[in-house]
Amino acid sequence: MNPIVVAGEAFSEYFITRLLWDEPRLRERLALPGAAQSLRSAQSAVRYARRELRDRRQATSTRTLLLNPLAEILGWRLGTEEKIETSEGTEEASAPLLDGGARTVARVRVVAPDAHLDLAPAGFHRRYAPHLSLVRVLEEQGLSWGILANAHEMRLVRRAEGFIASHLALSLVDLADGSTAAPDIWRLIWGLLRQEAWEAPPVADQVVALSREHQARVGTGLGRQVQAAVETLLRGVIAHPDN
């Protein structure tokens, strides 16, 4: 996978990858100095987890070896894991991510180390894929955000608005291997997902709002350019000697 993947309509890829870090309205909340200070610890934790998970097949292993160390670095307050009744029956909801009190701000679910996030377990219909299951849980609980991970990817999921759910996928492989994308991957995890980032209004909500603002501004600008181009073309046709 690409180091950073944007899917759905909630996020602007250009805003996420090019503009986010210079956005003055988010500068303090992204806490970039903290991301720089914790990058090595995060890389070490993920590298160790991935190495230890090579021969593991259970979600509990992903939780113990990967999620728990990252949760500690990010300062998460996680509640007790549970199952939720949805339109498809009883589904894994995993742990609630709590704010300073007891309010759930997101759901955090991990799957087996090599389990595909977009494919159902063998013998099950595609609607039971972990990603789709998490979206149903979010809809059932009236939550906007979920976090989904295996040994290779961490995904921030925003529940469906209309017909399509959105997500931001971040490569844990690139983070652990120290690729050129590793600092940006960790800055996104730190800036959007650490405990303080969920204080109202959540940073993730602010990013969605600013992404849409950027998309609207670009769309308006392009519309004006197209209109001007058409007018110029028509003037040229009218002014042509043959006319």
Side-chain angles (χ1 to χ4, degrees), residues 35-47 69-70 73 186:
Q37 293 168 7
S38 57
L39 174 59
R40 286 181 177 270
S41 297
Q43 287 180 298
S44 178
V46 175
R47 191 180 303 119
L70 283 178
I73 294 172
W186 181 246

Side-chain angles (χ1 to χ4, degrees), residues 45-62:
V46 175
R47 191 180 303 119
Y48 175 80
R50 283 178 45 77
R51 185 169 60 247
E52 293 297 310
L53 288 169
R54 285 173 186 166
D55 298 320
R56 309 294 181 100
R57 297 290 180 268
Q58 300 296 321
T60 53
S61 298
T62 311

